[in-house]
Amino acid sequence: MKKVFNTTGSCVPEKHYMVDISKRLEDIKKMIDNGSYITISRARQYGKTTTLVALERYLADSYCVLSLDFQDLDESAFSNSSEFSKTIARIVLDAAEYGGPMLSEFIKSSFTDLSIRTDGVKLDELFRVFKNWISESEKPIVLMIDEVDSASDDQVFLDFLAQLRSIYLKRTKNPDIPAFQSVILAGVTDIKHLKGKIRDNEQHKVNSPWNIAEDLKLDMSLHEDGISGMLAEYETDHNTGMDIENIAHEIYAYTNGYPFLVCKICQILDSSEELRTKLEDESSVWTKRGVDEAVGILLREPGVSLFESLIGKLTNYPVMKKQLFSILMDGDRVEALPYDDAQQQLRMYGFVSESEGTLRISNRIFETLLYNHFIGEDLSNQSIKQAAAQDRNMFVKDKQLNVPLIMERFIKTYTEVFGPLTDRFPEETGRKLFLLYLKPIINGTGNYYIEAQTRDQKRTDIIIDYLGRQYVIELKIWRGERYNAEGEQQIMEYLEYYGLSCGYMLSFNFNKKKETGVKELVFGDKVLYEGML
């Protein structure tokens, strides 16, 4: 059977090209061997289910694994503890019937009795059967539950966690108490942050029902060497002639190793007819140009569930949206605060990561997705966008962007709409307006992203990938000749880093006495076009 790149459900080595995760499984097994109870909290489509499926196989020789998926349970299962207990009993029986854990006749009969009871079943009765099973099992039992988010708001589930917690704590005092060797809960929501009533007394004390567990600290992103290994297997099957290490580097640069994004780009490169229509020949597919085009196709593709989920969170959580807007559009450096609720949500859903004590957007693709969304929401400056769309054809010649002309026309359009720039930025910053102008020009053909290390109120570097060529445009506020000279030197270093001979700089100058327009400067073997607004 021909292998494919998979972006839905779990990946299996026999069917799908995938990164080797054996080291990850080995590290998790060490935690299980130590009797740890574990939470795996990662953003959507970050490889949680793939890890659990592989882990079940990996543990088979040493442990009896009971794997549950709460996504398979309907709402009625959580209506009360009796329905929940009977549902779990049925799931265990089904798992045993279809290749899951082996059950003795006594344990099978006990679960069957629970599942068909017509009177109320208490959680305690379910756990009594669990304890009997644990006591007689030849192997220690590991309980894995995927998609715990499906139940995270239900009191029945909190009661279930409280029972597991109680057994765990008793085991620490008396090792002979029957208990699961390990319990692994996986989902987007960090289950340890749930608060539930775990004792009924006068004070109604509230505590985390899962504060006994260890967070899985393992890095579940896909690194360049892992992506290279996956591509090497693909290359053996398809003989594309790709530069494996270079393509792995390009994919990682766009995705920062986010598993779904890595596989989705590879999937587009492997099979997209749209991509092949845009490129000159098949040999151009697995190249930097091909990766750039694949990213553009991904960002334009409707119905990408991960993107829909992320954008939906902005509507549901306005505080999160405000923080993202300040990072991207205002250039603010937001200090990473581990206990800030909005930041916890941003990390949980995969929007941000931490770098040198500040928040940054997790990867270039999310960054461009969010920029496009914020820019698209701005209905107050349609004239800027319309002017760029009308002039779009004049900016491309011989498949190259005429960036000096883009800067000239932007300066002209900005002045016509807002007047001379003399006091200070309006509420919409120059950065946002330039991106608003740029987007219709490259839309559908090129991509852009912001260099995170230079995104602040002083300067921003925009990197454009357009038909296989790269363009670096520095946007900055004018702060005098000396600061400008430093900026010129810095962009020369950028050009050297990117292997480019031509760069661009657009300054927003609030001085009344200034000369607007674009001029060409030569620095050795490099050319710099400087625009002044």
Side-chain angles (χ1 to χ4, degrees):
M1 180 179 176
K2 180 183 176 183
K3 285 189 176 183
V4 296
F5 292 103
N6 180 46
T7 57
T8 57
S10 62
C11 296
V12 294
E14 295 81 9
K15 296 180 179 180
H16 307 127
Y17 294 110
M18 57 184 293
V19 170
D20 180 11
I21 61 171
S22 56
K23 180 62 169 61
R24 183 189 308 172
L25 301 179
E26 179 184 343
D27 290 339
I28 298 175
K29 184 176 182 296
K30 289 178 182 177
M31 298 176 70
I32 293 171
D33 292 341
N34 290 330
S36 297
Y37 281 27
I38 304 166
T39 60
I40 302 178
S41 175
R42 295 294 188 279
R44 286 197 64 193
Q45 296 180 289
Y46 212 94
K48 298 183 296 295
T49 302
T50 293
T51 297
L52 292 182
V53 170
L55 183 62
E56 185 175 355
R57 289 186 176 189
Y58 190 77
L59 297 175
D61 291 339
S62 304
Y63 295 103
C64 175
V65 179
L66 173 59
S67 179
L68 309 179
D69 187 342
F70 274 11
Q71 195 167 239
D72 296 336
L73 277 60
D74 58 32
E75 290 185 11
S76 64
F78 300 100
S79 59
N80 55 62
S81 61
S82 179
E83 285 302 316
F84 181 82
S85 299
K86 289 190 281 188
T87 300
I88 295 298
R90 286 194 292 270
I91 291 175
V92 174
L93 291 169
D94 288 344
E97 184 176 351
Y98 295 102
M102 297 289 292
L103 303 178
S104 69
E105 288 303 317
F106 170 66
I107 299 301
K108 186 182 295 184
S109 175
S110 298
F111 277 123
T112 301
D113 289 343
L114 286 183
S115 69
I116 63 175
R117 285 254 300 268
T118 57
D119 60 335
V121 177
K122 297 179 179 179
L123 271 176
D124 180 64
E125 295 178 273
L126 173 66
F127 275 87
R128 190 174 297 121
V129 178
F130 277 143
K131 291 174 185 176
N132 290 336
W133 180 23
I134 292 166
S135 296
E136 72 166 41
S137 177
E138 294 181 1
K139 297 177 182 178
I141 300 176
V142 175
L143 172 62
M144 301 194 307
I145 305 178
D146 196 9
E147 301 291 348
V148 292
D149 305 76
S150 304
S152 60
D153 292 332
D154 291 281
Q155 185 61 44
V156 171
F157 179 57
L158 297 181
D159 294 339
F160 178 72
L161 290 184
Q163 289 272 5
L164 289 171
R165 179 182 188 273
S166 175
I167 294 174
Y168 176 89
L169 293 175
K170 290 175 181 177
R171 184 185 72 175
T172 61
K173 297 177 181 179
N174 182 359
D176 295 330
I177 294 290
F180 290 109
Q181 171 71 18
S182 177
V183 177
I184 303 173
L185 304 182
V188 174
T189 303
D190 185 350
I191 211 71
K192 287 175 68 179
H193 292 162
L194 291 175
K195 301 294 181 182
K197 187 174 65 175
I198 61 173
R199 330 179 162 78
D200 284 316
N201 56 27
E202 293 179 0
Q203 289 79 28
H204 292 286
K205 290 186 69 174
V206 176
N207 199 353
S208 167
W210 206 239
N211 59 6
I212 57 173
E214 297 183 37
D215 291 320
L216 186 68
K217 301 294 186 182
L218 304 179
D219 184 0
M220 291 177 64
S221 62
L222 308 182
H223 292 275
E224 285 189 43
D225 56 349
I227 298 171
S228 292
M230 178 176 65
L231 294 180
E233 183 183 6
Y234 179 87
E235 182 64 14
T236 299
D237 292 343
H238 294 271
N239 300 309
T240 69
M242 78 169 87
D243 182 336
I244 292 173
E245 291 187 1
N246 182 54
I247 298 304
H249 174 77
E250 292 297 328
I251 292 174
Y252 183 79
Y254 269 114
T255 64
N256 208 24
Y258 198 111
F260 169 81
L261 299 177
V262 170
C263 291
K264 186 64 176 179
I265 290 172
C266 291
Q267 191 178 65
I268 293 171
L269 290 168
D270 174 52
S271 58
S272 169
E273 290 301 323
E274 179 183 351
L275 178 68
R276 280 153 178 78
T277 300
K278 292 175 73 70
L279 299 175
E280 291 78 10
D281 53 61
E282 189 70 24
S283 64
S284 300
V285 172
W286 288 92
T287 63
K288 182 185 184 308
R289 164 83 187 281
V291 174
D292 293 340
E293 294 289 354
V295 170
I297 290 172
L298 171 57
L299 286 167
R300 295 190 303 274
E301 184 175 316
V304 178
S305 60
L306 175 61
F307 294 169
E308 289 179 340
S309 175
L310 290 175
I311 297 303
K313 296 296 184 295
L314 301 184
T315 302
N316 296 333
Y317 302 100
V319 178
M320 284 200 316
K321 181 177 181 178
K322 183 178 180 181
Q323 286 214 11
L324 288 172
F325 191 93
S326 70
I327 294 170
L328 285 175
M329 308 309 292
D330 297 334
D332 291 341
R333 291 192 178 276
V334 177
E335 179 185 1
L337 303 172
Y339 301 108
D340 180 83
D341 184 63
Q343 291 190 16
Q344 286 180 346
Q345 298 274 344
L346 287 170
R347 292 187 189 92
M348 186 169 67
Y349 294 121
F351 280 112
V352 300
S353 58
E354 184 179 334
S355 176
E356 298 179 352
T358 61
L359 296 185
R360 61 175 296 177
I361 307 303
S362 294
N363 56 71
R364 289 183 191 171
I365 293 178
F366 283 3
E367 185 172 285
T368 304
L369 176 75
L370 291 168
Y371 266 117
N372 289 344
H373 179 72
F374 288 139
I375 290 171
E377 281 190 327
D378 184 358
L379 303 178
S380 61
N381 295 295
Q382 290 300 305
S383 55
I384 295 281
K385 187 186 298 185
Q386 291 168 359
Q390 291 171 358
D391 296 339
R392 179 182 179 186
N393 293 335
M394 73 169 61
F395 298 127
V396 182
K397 184 177 182 180
D398 298 328
K399 297 185 178 180
Q400 294 187 50
L401 280 179
N402 188 336
V403 179
L405 183 58
I406 291 174
M407 291 195 297
E408 283 183 8
R409 299 292 295 184
F410 171 72
I411 292 169
K412 180 176 182 293
T413 302
Y414 185 101
T415 304
E416 289 174 350
V417 174
F418 296 106
L421 186 64
T422 55
D423 296 324
R424 58 190 180 90
F425 284 128
E427 184 178 346
E428 299 81 11
T429 65
R431 175 192 298 112
K432 179 181 178 181
L433 290 172
F434 183 74
L435 291 175
L436 192 68
Y437 189 81
L438 179 65
K439 188 174 182 295
I441 297 171
I442 64 172
N443 194 36
T445 307
N447 309 306
Y448 69 91
Y449 62 93
I450 310 300
E451 176 54 61
Q453 299 304 319
T454 67
R455 187 200 299 111
D456 57 31
Q457 293 288 7
K458 296 179 180 179
R459 58 187 286 258
T460 298
D461 292 312
I462 300 174
I463 316 296
I464 301 173
D465 291 306
Y466 189 88
L467 295 177
R469 296 179 181 270
Q470 207 161 45
Y471 306 83
V472 179
I473 308 175
E474 179 178 313
L475 305 183
K476 67 184 185 66
I477 297 172
W478 177 268
R479 298 180 186 274
E481 292 290 351
R482 179 179 176 182
Y483 179 80
N484 193 64
E486 292 175 357
E488 291 171 345
Q489 177 60 35
Q490 199 148 24
I491 199 168
M492 290 301 109
E493 294 171 1
Y494 259 74
L495 295 179
E496 194 68 34
Y497 174 80
Y498 284 104
L500 302 172
S501 60
C502 186
Y504 312 89
M505 181 185 293
L506 178 60
S507 297
F508 297 93
N509 190 335
F510 303 118
N511 297 331
K512 294 182 179 180
K513 295 182 179 180
K514 62 184 177 185
E515 183 179 348
T516 61
V518 179
K519 60 182 179 181
E520 178 182 345
L521 302 174
V522 178
F523 296 85
D525 62 345
K526 302 284 192 292
V527 176
L528 176 64
Y529 288 91
E530 285 194 14
M532 183 77 72
L533 174 59

